[in-house]
Amino acid sequence: MSQLAERGVELLSSDQPITRFGELLHEGWELKKQAGAVTLPEIDAWYDAGLKAGATGGKLLGAGQGGFLLFIAEPRHHDAIPRRLRQSPIRGLQVNAPGSQIIFSQH
């Protein structure tokens, strides 16, 4: 897993398309499933539906009832993913430079 993280940093720091990072997330998903990581049939079904709709990979984020499933996909597939997951709330997001920034500091 640490090698995947290192490759992820390299991909995100390069000119590679973000979908390559999605492929890396998928590799991590498969490794976690092989290791017996906790999942639910419903989550597996959502993940598979996202892949069938064009995502190159995804990651389960958060915990418990407050978590969410992140998918990486080319823009041409963005509309297909919510259609496949129509029973779930969908939120779109974009990755952009410079990334996370501190916008509030208490001093």
Side-chain angles (χ1 to χ4, degrees), residues 23-42:
E23 293 167 3
L24 190 69
L25 290 179
H26 179 68
E27 192 175 331
W29 180 275
E30 292 298 324
L31 284 173
K32 287 180 182 180
K33 280 179 61 175
Q34 290 173 11
V38 177
T39 186
L40 298 170
E42 188 175 23

Side-chain angles (χ1 to χ4, degrees), residues 11-25:
L11 280 172
L12 292 173
S13 301
S14 73
D15 292 342
Q16 295 289 318
I18 192 70
T19 52
R20 295 294 308 272
F21 185 70
E23 293 167 3
L24 190 69
L25 290 179

Side-chain angles (χ1 to χ4, degrees), residues 17-79:
I18 192 70
T19 52
R20 295 294 308 272
F21 185 70
E23 293 167 3
L24 190 69
L25 290 179
H26 179 68
E27 192 175 331
W29 180 275
E30 292 298 324
L31 284 173
K32 287 180 182 180
K33 280 179 61 175
Q34 290 173 11
V38 177
T39 186
L40 298 170
E42 188 175 23
I43 293 170
D44 289 336
W46 290 335
Y47 185 79
D48 290 340
L51 292 180
K52 288 177 183 169
T56 58
K59 181 159 179 55
L60 190 60
L61 303 168
Q65 297 297 317
F68 61 96
L69 189 56
L70 170 76
F71 288 110
I72 305 288
E74 291 181 13
R76 64 190 171 101
H77 298 297
H78 287 185
D79 291 338

